[in-house]
Amino acid sequence: MREVIAMVKQLGIPTWFTTLSCAHLRWPELFQILARIQGNDLTDKQVDALSCNERCRILNLNPVVLAKHTRTFFTKVLLVN
């Protein structure tokens, strides 16, 4: 207890933070959007059948769309500016 009190006196009151993620690999709608950009239509079953490597490859091939989608998620869904 004394160590914690000493840390607070020396470093100040601790702050709380969290890390948020869009969980891109588990977002089927995102893969359907990216497929549509390529001229393909993926069903939910087809998206579920994609391996982790295939999902990563698709995301890596579309960095701009992914960045815009992530920004929209944070600004519209989480209301973070």
Side-chain angles (χ1 to χ4, degrees):
M1 181 69 164
R2 289 182 186 159
E3 287 181 27
V4 172
I5 292 172
M7 288 175 64
V8 169
K9 286 182 180 178
Q10 189 173 15
L11 303 173
I13 297 173
T15 58
W16 183 83
F17 69 93
T18 185
T19 301
L20 303 172
S21 172
C22 297
H24 296 109
L25 294 176
R26 295 188 174 141
W27 203 339
E29 294 86 1
L30 177 59
F31 291 98
Q32 290 170 334
I33 290 168
L34 294 173
R36 255 184 259 131
I37 291 170
Q38 302 293 325
N40 302 321
D41 281 327
L42 291 179
T43 64
D44 288 338
K45 280 188 173 186
Q46 290 172 317
V47 172
D48 289 340
L50 292 172
S51 70
C52 184
N53 287 337
E54 291 172 319
R55 290 173 186 242
C56 288
R57 184 185 60 76
I58 292 170
L59 294 176
N60 288 334
L61 290 173
N62 298 283
V64 174
V65 176
L66 183 62
K68 287 182 178 183
H69 199 73
T70 302
R71 183 174 180 182
T72 301
F73 173 76
F74 280 104
T75 58
K76 302 292 183 190
V77 176
L78 297 178
L79 304 175
V80 176
N81 290 334

